[in-house]
Amino acid sequence: MRTAAGGQRSFDDLGTPLADVTFCVLDIETTGGDRNIDLITEIGMVKVRAGEFLGTLQTLINPGRAIPPMITMLTGITESMVVQAPAIDAILPAMIEFLGDAVVVGHNVGFDMAFINAALTRRGDAEITNPVIDTLPLARRLIRDEVPDCRLGTLATRFRLDHRPSHRALDDALATTDLLHFLLERAAGLGVLGLDDLIALPRIGAHPQAAKLKMTTGLPRSPGVYLFRGAHDTVLYVGKATNLRQRVRSYFGSDDRRKIGTLLREAQRITYVTTPNVLAAEVLELRYIQQLAPRYNKVAATPQKYRYVRLSTDEAWPRLSVVNEATGAGVHLGPLPSKANADAVVEALQSVFPLRRCTTRLGRAFQPQLGAVTCTPAQLGVAVCPCAGLADSNHYAAVVAKTVQAMTTSPELVITALQDRLTSLSATRRYEEAAQVRDRAAAFTNAIRRQRLTERLREAGDVGLQIGDTTVHISGGVLVGTAQEGQMEVGLPLAAPDMPAFAAVLPRHVVDEVLCLARAFERTADSVTVVWCSGRWQWPIDAVPEVVGRTPRLPADVAA
């Protein structure tokens, strides 16, 4: 955020306590209401901090044209009063210097800023982009029910402000300054303590649950996890945030998801846990959701829904299946987010490799029944049928070997075949079939990418990583603890999920956390420094091929 003085504001500046914020209240008078045609005739500015006046700036301005009689009647400013006054171009440098990096305040301040920025643009200068507070919407949010309207004159009279507006720039700026201080006192009851709170208040104040904003008063502006709690201190919802205060207060304003209204109605208090960085907050959020299962976190995937794709190797004729647990001999892919997702991966593999599709268990001593009826997939030519004795075991073993390759080291064996099929189907206008191929290919690509991410992180073993000023300690793919520079390592409030050292396949109860960490390291591989590593650290992962291009939109005649 660029200020008039040329400095760069950070979010920490916006979180400055209001007592430390310098406000510059301004008002202008003009020859009319069109910023493209009309010109400024007077500027008044008042600078304050912590309720203390720091200075004022007031000057008439010669607009270089006649002042309409109606404007003279409204403001009392005549042509004779401005004939000796400086032009706007001579005043703008002093005005910008007086403003500095203060927060601009005005009543319907958009009008004033439009004229000032238009004058700056005509002069060839940059526009003012300081933070802006408009006391008009603030008044509408805080005191609208107490007054007939929110005009500056009405508010000054009703609340007996020290200064009264007179359609002269400095008088109006002084009255607006009094109004600002009055509104800040009212806003404190809604937990408005920092500049960011004040900027957000106009839209937050109208929220039906705005009275509960006081629950956010103690929230810090740091990374962490927040917990909405209801009756009997039950956790209703868990979320993570880069800035706890900003995120939680946003629920009372810009967040319009349907469930938010009922969540806020039920919420009775908000607790939080701070973390040294956002990554730790993401992990802690996952652990809370898994352990507490909050009612309003239903959209989050639950480990109970996860499934594995298994290629059995303890049978004479291996086959693909979707299983709940990665048990038994075989090659496993997963855990994947749902059974539907796992089914799509199986369909992608089966559409390339003619593995048997029957569910009959065929042990090592299996003997085919000659003359038996072949299964439907075999009749269609998309699968072999060992039950009827029509399959060659050596050929089938080669197919199984290719399937293992596709599920582990060579996913292109599937993607290339599906790409060719997609192209062929699209060329012959078989769009619905092409869409199925595309979806299966996407499911397979995503499954392989998930697998590689989790396996790569687990291969690192016990590893310490430096990210900025924080050291992250990971063991077996899960977060053990963090330490900031100059501090001892501390664990997260919730213990890391158990990760059996002997588990060849990733247990589904830890997959979300391992994926969260792996994806973070994949994004920031260039900025991560390895402090120690008991295994192998190698990022980013190998690229996973995917089907390119899109299936055309269904023509109207086909869609119909």
Side-chain angles (χ1 to χ4, degrees):
M1 189 182 321
R2 186 68 58 182
T3 68
Q8 184 75 22
R9 282 187 173 270
S10 67
F11 188 82
D12 290 337
D13 296 323
L14 295 180
T16 302
L18 290 174
D20 298 331
V21 175
T22 299
F23 296 101
C24 186
V25 187
L26 61 82
D27 186 81
I28 64 171
E29 301 301 330
T30 67
T31 60
D34 190 334
R35 64 179 177 181
N36 297 313
I37 300 174
D38 296 301
L39 299 170
I40 299 172
T41 59
E42 187 178 30
I43 290 179
M45 303 173 73
V46 180
K47 211 167 187 178
V48 293
R49 183 173 60 243
E52 208 175 299
F53 282 82
L54 304 180
T56 61
L57 183 151
Q58 184 275 332
T59 182
L60 289 166
I61 294 172
N62 188 343
R65 66 174 61 173
I67 298 176
M70 181 182 66
I71 298 298
T72 297
M73 291 180 60
L74 178 67
T75 66
I77 299 175
T78 65
E79 292 183 29
S80 62
M81 293 171 61
V82 301
V83 68
Q84 299 296 326
I88 185 64
D89 285 356
I91 294 300
L92 287 174
M95 188 202 74
I96 294 296
E97 182 179 356
F98 183 84
L99 175 61
D101 62 355
V103 176
V104 177
V105 180
H107 201 70
N108 192 23
V109 71
F111 175 88
D112 306 80
M113 292 303 297
F115 271 85
I116 292 172
N117 282 328
L120 287 166
T121 299
R122 286 192 292 268
R123 191 175 184 270
D125 294 338
E127 294 185 354
I128 295 172
T129 56
N130 295 43
V132 175
I133 300 295
D134 195 334
T135 54
L136 178 58
L138 275 180
R140 286 172 177 162
R141 293 296 178 256
L142 293 170
I143 54 179
R144 182 65 184 87
D145 295 339
E146 304 175 41
V147 291
D149 59 68
C150 288
R151 295 174 182 170
L152 183 59
T154 302
L155 299 176
T157 300
R158 181 60 61 96
F159 297 109
R160 300 177 182 177
L161 303 181
D162 292 339
H163 298 87
R164 302 296 169 89
S166 63
H167 290 294
R168 291 298 299 273
L170 186 58
D171 286 347
D172 289 8
L174 287 168
T176 303
T177 302
D178 294 340
L179 177 61
L180 172 67
H181 291 150
F182 176 80
L183 294 175
L184 290 180
E185 291 181 6
R186 288 293 186 93
L190 295 178
V192 176
L193 304 177
L195 179 58
D196 54 336
D197 298 338
L198 189 63
I199 290 173
L201 183 60
R203 67 176 183 272
I204 288 178
H207 196 282
Q209 301 297 325
K212 291 187 176 182
L213 273 168
K214 60 180 180 291
M215 296 191 301
T216 70
T217 301
L219 294 175
R221 294 176 174 84
S222 58
V225 171
Y226 55 92
L227 299 89
F228 281 91
R229 295 178 179 270
H232 310 296
D233 221 29
T234 303
V235 175
L236 304 173
Y237 182 78
V238 176
K240 64 179 180 300
T242 302
N243 181 304
L244 285 165
R245 185 179 182 84
Q246 180 197 39
R247 180 68 188 102
V248 175
R249 289 179 71 87
S250 74
Y251 283 84
F252 296 87
S254 59
D255 201 327
D256 58 356
R257 286 174 291 173
R258 188 183 307 174
K259 69 178 181 181
I260 297 303
T262 54
L263 168 63
L264 293 178
R265 282 195 294 272
E266 289 188 47
Q268 296 186 7
R269 74 186 188 106
I270 300 169
T271 58
Y272 66 91
V273 177
T274 58
T275 58
N277 50 44
V278 178
L279 181 60
E282 292 178 356
V283 170
L284 185 56
E285 177 196 36
L286 291 171
R287 293 183 185 175
Y288 270 122
I289 290 174
Q290 188 173 136
Q291 294 189 24
L292 302 175
R295 181 155 44 94
Y296 284 93
N297 285 102
K298 286 182 179 179
V299 295
T302 57
Q304 291 75 19
K305 296 180 181 179
Y306 290 175
R307 298 292 184 269
Y308 297 84
V309 171
R310 176 178 181 245
L311 176 63
S312 60
T313 57
D314 55 351
E315 297 180 90
W317 301 85
R319 66 184 182 90
L320 290 166
S321 60
V322 175
V323 296
N324 293 338
E325 299 292 347
T327 56
V331 178
H332 293 85
L333 199 58
L336 302 176
S338 66
K339 184 179 184 301
N341 186 268
D343 285 338
V345 173
V346 169
E347 289 165 358
L349 288 163
Q350 287 179 337
S351 62
V352 176
F353 303 112
L355 298 167
R356 72 179 179 97
R357 301 189 184 184
C358 64
T359 58
T360 305
R361 181 169 180 79
L362 307 181
R364 295 294 179 184
F366 166 75
Q367 293 295 327
Q369 297 178 3
L370 296 178
V373 178
T374 57
C375 59
T376 301
Q379 294 177 26
L380 295 173
V382 295
V384 299
C385 185
C387 300
L390 301 178
D392 178 81
S393 59
N394 292 329
H395 174 72
Y396 195 83
V399 171
V400 170
K402 286 289 186 182
T403 307
V404 171
Q405 280 185 271
M407 294 176 66
T408 54
T409 60
S410 304
E412 63 274 7
L413 295 175
V414 170
I415 298 301
T416 300
L418 295 181
Q419 178 72 71
D420 292 342
R421 189 165 302 174
L422 175 65
T423 302
S424 175
L425 290 169
S426 297
T428 55
R429 293 169 59 89
R430 295 163 66 180
Y431 300 120
E432 293 182 357
E433 293 175 72
Q436 286 184 334
V437 172
R438 177 202 59 204
D439 294 343
R440 291 170 182 172
F444 179 74
T445 293
N446 291 334
I448 295 296
R449 185 177 288 117
R450 285 168 59 100
Q451 194 84 351
R452 289 187 176 180
L453 282 168
T454 55
E455 287 178 353
R456 182 63 58 85
L457 188 56
R458 296 181 69 196
E459 287 171 2
D462 190 88
V463 61
L465 306 169
Q466 188 73 29
I467 306 174
D469 64 347
T470 304
T471 301
V472 177
H473 181 189
I474 297 169
S475 182
V478 299
L479 187 62
V480 176
T482 61
Q484 290 186 305
E485 192 172 336
Q487 299 179 355
M488 294 181 63
E489 181 176 313
V490 294
L492 292 179
L494 291 180
D498 293 332
M499 173 71 82
F502 58 87
V505 180
L506 183 67
R508 60 183 178 177
H509 72 285
V510 297
V511 64
D512 287 337
E513 178 170 332
V514 177
L515 270 174
C516 173
L517 293 168
R519 285 169 175 158
F521 299 139
E522 181 75 1
R523 293 191 304 267
T524 60
D526 294 339
S527 59
V528 173
T529 302
V530 179
V531 182
W532 74 84
C533 182
S534 66
R536 183 177 73 122
W537 180 263
Q538 186 178 351
W539 294 86
I541 65 170
D542 299 331
V544 181
E546 56 186 322
V547 165
V548 296
R550 297 181 179 177
T551 55
R553 186 185 300 274
L554 289 178
D557 59 332
V558 177

